Amino acid sequence: MENDYNVSNEGNQYSTQMDPNKSVMTMGDWIVTLLITLIPCVNIVMMLVWAFGNGNENRKNFCRANLIVQIILSVLGFILYFTLFASLMAAGYSNF
């Protein structure tokens, strides 16, 4: 009967320790993240690295959401641009 109470927890160590990838990001981490996203060209590369790499889940979700929004806005921008361009060409403004 004593063995029932002395069950070792060696196989379950992972669940008792906090996963660093799921920890809350500090304000400093967010400031660094936002500053890096302000640098042209570097921001796209770092967004892809953070979105699809092994890192903090908060940053990963932020980068994935940001990439999705950027793709949607880019598609809408191209549609608007080409719609405006086509309407100007149809109206006879061929000086473009």
Side-chain angles (χ1 to χ4, degrees):
M1 263 320 221
E2 285 182 35
N3 289 338
D4 291 340
Y5 296 108
N6 294 329
V7 175
S8 70
N9 201 12
E10 292 175 12
N12 202 9
Q13 273 184 334
Y14 181 74
S15 65
T16 59
Q17 296 175 351
M18 188 170 177
D19 186 9
N21 289 334
K22 301 208 184 280
S23 64
V24 177
M25 288 178 58
T26 64
M27 188 183 308
D29 292 337
W30 280 114
I31 290 172
V32 169
T33 301
L34 293 175
L35 287 175
I36 289 175
T37 59
L38 293 175
I39 303 170
C41 296
V42 174
N43 60 358
I44 296 171
V45 173
M46 289 308 295
M47 284 282 191
L48 291 170
V49 168
W50 287 331
F52 301 110
N54 292 331
N56 189 291
E57 291 291 325
N58 297 317
R59 184 182 286 146
K60 184 182 288 192
N61 289 333
F62 169 75
C63 292
R64 286 179 180 174
N66 199 350
L67 287 170
I68 290 170
V69 169
Q70 286 180 1
I71 290 170
I72 290 170
L73 290 177
S74 296
V75 168
L76 289 176
F78 282 123
I79 290 171
L80 179 66
Y81 175 76
F82 286 116
T83 303
L84 181 64
F85 181 74
S87 65
L88 288 174
M89 293 302 286
Y93 293 105
S94 60
N95 294 335
F96 293 108

